[in-house]
């Protein structure tokens, strides 16, 4: 199967830009053989490679990443390690699977935290919790009430906060109400991915800047790269939005680009204007319309807002320019006291969406396994998906593996151009439903 689309490095990721420089590991040059080939070194791929190496220490694992570690989608998200069920758009599929997601997300978050500690990964990790906020009273009543019900039914700790309480904690009075869950974590995603990659077990060989151009099946799987070949007995595909390019989950997911802006560190006078708050993270009741925000440990503010359908994975410059201007308006509406703050970094990243919210996970062909379809907020989701995929591929069974299976499979999508019309209509409808959250 020839792969006709690859991730592109545009050197704009703000999370990696604020980190010390890192020298990538070498690209593949020549031919190698392995028991396992893992394609994609995001959260799922790193977790799968690590777990395979732990479960099968006598096996060799080759991990290929098309870009430098931390420069792909995994290093471009908002930096939330969310360990409670969470809705992204107006749909509530994940909340309907709350019992399964509770166990999965808690296990994923706990494993990540354990790895940060044992491997000395410095990613600015903090269990500061998450504020799930609504701007309008209508959506506060409609969405937050459902969210509260599910948290209560799952015995998850939370607090309901009004506008004044949120203002004291966040430094903005923009939100009508919110629900705070204290167990969620905040981090620099690029630093986390770097740390996970640089601490892999010795029987994992990682090659960066090594995209797979062709994957053929025979006595062995043969993955062709620009300067080499990998022959492997089994394959794990952790390419998320690019899974259909390998021939799997075609017409089961579609790519969406999201955008982020990160300010320069606020000065002490600027911080005092908003009450000099502690580090925090905000997710909106409808992330397809509202703004996800972070106030970081080094006093930066992140705005992540706007989703763009990107069927060809490319984002026109005109869209980038328009969204960059939108982010400034979003920022000013929430923090009018900080009109002099500098918007230092702006970037885009691509996620994939499935129609019914189910992940793309499991065995997709003889000796081929895949993990993708995160539907957003993928740090913990994809970490546990990758780990459990390795266990499943190794013949292990557990309650968590059964939880993954219980989430179902992505439902089918129409062919293009009907898909294009449907997705654009879906995004337009979400924007209309959540227009009060902008």
């Amino acid at each position: 199967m020839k792969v006709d689309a690859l991730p592109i490095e545009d050197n704009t990721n703000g999370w990696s830009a604020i980190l010390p420089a890192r020298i990538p590991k070498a690209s593949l040059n020549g031919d190698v053989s392995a028991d396992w080939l893992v394609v994609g070194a995001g959260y799922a791929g790193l977790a799968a490679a690590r777990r395979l190496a732990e479960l099968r220490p006598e096996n060799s694992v080759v991990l290929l990443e098309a870009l430098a570690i931390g420069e792909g989608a995994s290093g471009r998200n908002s930096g939330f390690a969310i360990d409670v069920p969470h809705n992204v758009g107006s749909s509530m599929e994940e909340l309907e699977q709350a019992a399964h997601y509770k166990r999965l997300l808690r296990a994923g978050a706990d494993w990540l935290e354990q790895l940060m500690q044992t491997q000395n990964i410095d990613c600015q990790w903090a269990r500061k919790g998450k504020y799930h906020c609504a701007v309008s009273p209508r959506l506060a009543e409609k969405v937050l009430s459902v969210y509260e019900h599910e948290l209560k039914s799952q015995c998850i700790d939370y607090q309901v906060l009004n506008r004044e309480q949120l203002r004291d904690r966040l430094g903005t009075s923009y939100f009508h109400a919110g629900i705070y869950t204290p167990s969620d974590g905040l981090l620099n995603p690029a630093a986390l991915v770097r740390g996970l990659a640089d601490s892999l077990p010795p029987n994992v060989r990682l090659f960066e800047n090594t995209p797979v151009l062709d994957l053929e099946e025979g006595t062995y799987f043969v993955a062709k790269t620009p300067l080499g070949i990998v022959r492997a007995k089994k394959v794990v595909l952790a390419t998320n939005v690019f899974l259909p390019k390998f021939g799997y989950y075609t017409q089961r997911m579609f790519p969406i680009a999201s955008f982020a802006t990160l300010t320069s560190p606020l000065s002490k006078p600027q911080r005092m204007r908003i009450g000099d708050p502690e580090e925090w993270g905000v997710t909106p009741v409808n992330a397809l319309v509202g703004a996800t925000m972070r106030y970081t440990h080094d006093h930066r503010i992140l705005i992540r807002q706007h989703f763009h359908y990107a069927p060809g994975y490319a984002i026109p410059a005109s869209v980038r320019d328009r969204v960059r201007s939108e982010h400034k308006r979003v920022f000013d509406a929430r923090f009018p006291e900080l009109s002099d703050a500098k918007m230092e970094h702006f970037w885009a990243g691509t996620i994939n969406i499935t129609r019914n919210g189910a992940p793309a996970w499991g065995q997709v062909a003889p000796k081929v396994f895949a993990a993708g379809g995160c539907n957003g907020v993928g740090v913990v989701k994809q970490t546990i998906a990758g780990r459990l995929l390795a266990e499943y591929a190794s013949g292990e069974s557990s309650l968590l593996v059964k939880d993954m299976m219980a989430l179902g499979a992505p439902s089918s999508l129409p062919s293009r151009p009907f898909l294009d019309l449907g997705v654009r209509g879906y995004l337009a409808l979400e924007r209309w439903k959540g227009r009060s959250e902008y």
Side-chain angles (χ1 to χ4, degrees), residues 126-162:
R127 286 265 191 180
K128 292 291 186 178
K130 169 180 68 70
Y131 297 86
H132 200 49
C133 295
V135 176
S136 74
R138 180 181 64 84
L139 283 187
E141 173 64 26
K142 181 178 180 181
V143 179
L144 290 184
S145 60
V146 175
Y147 186 50
E148 180 183 5
H149 172 76
E150 290 300 334
L151 294 174
K152 185 181 295 185
S153 69
Q154 296 299 319
C155 300
I156 296 171
D157 189 21
Y158 71 93
Q159 292 177 282
V160 178
L161 303 172
N162 61 29

Side-chain angles (χ1 to χ4, degrees), residues 385-398:
R387 172 181 170 166
L388 295 176
L389 188 66
E391 295 177 4
Y392 176 67
S394 299
E396 303 282 328
S397 181
S398 67

Side-chain angles (χ1 to χ4, degrees), residues 26 39 47 70 76 91 122 142 198 221 232 240 247 261 289 300 313 336 348 361:
V39 184
R76 291 171 175 256
S91 62
D122 180 9
K142 181 178 180 181
D198 291 340
F221 291 94
N240 207 8
T261 292
V289 182
R300 300 173 185 267
Y313 305 98
W361 185 92

Side-chain angles (χ1 to χ4, degrees), residues 37-184:
L37 167 64
V38 180
V39 184
Y43 296 108
L46 288 166
R50 181 182 297 274
R51 191 63 176 145
L52 285 171
E54 292 172 348
L55 292 171
R56 302 288 182 88
E58 75 283 2
N59 283 184
S60 57
V61 181
V62 167
L63 174 58
L64 301 181
E65 168 55 36
L67 304 175
I69 292 293
E71 298 304 323
S74 57
R76 291 171 175 256
N77 61 65
S78 302
F80 286 80
I82 296 177
D83 71 348
V84 296
H86 175 81
N87 71 291
V88 175
S90 63
S91 62
M92 300 291 175
E93 287 97 343
E94 186 166 321
L95 297 185
E96 292 168 3
Q97 295 273 22
H100 299 301
Y101 272 114
K102 178 186 175 182
R103 288 189 290 268
L104 290 166
L105 296 174
R106 284 284 168 86
D110 290 345
W111 192 47
L112 271 177
E113 189 168 22
Q114 178 187 11
L115 290 173
M116 294 174 203
Q117 294 170 353
T118 60
Q119 303 301 324
N120 297 314
I121 298 173
D122 180 9
C123 61
Q124 297 83 57
W125 168 254
R127 286 265 191 180
K128 292 291 186 178
K130 169 180 68 70
Y131 297 86
H132 200 49
C133 295
V135 176
S136 74
R138 180 181 64 84
L139 283 187
E141 173 64 26
K142 181 178 180 181
V143 179
L144 290 184
S145 60
V146 175
Y147 186 50
E148 180 183 5
H149 172 76
E150 290 300 334
L151 294 174
K152 185 181 295 185
S153 69
Q154 296 299 319
C155 300
I156 296 171
D157 189 21
Y158 71 93
Q159 292 177 282
V160 178
L161 303 172
N162 61 29
R163 188 186 303 274
E164 291 71 28
Q165 292 168 317
L166 290 171
R167 173 67 178 83
D168 291 341
R169 298 194 188 190
L170 307 178
T172 175
S173 57
Y174 198 76
F175 300 105
H176 174 78
I179 292 179
Y180 173 68
T181 47
S183 61
D184 298 301

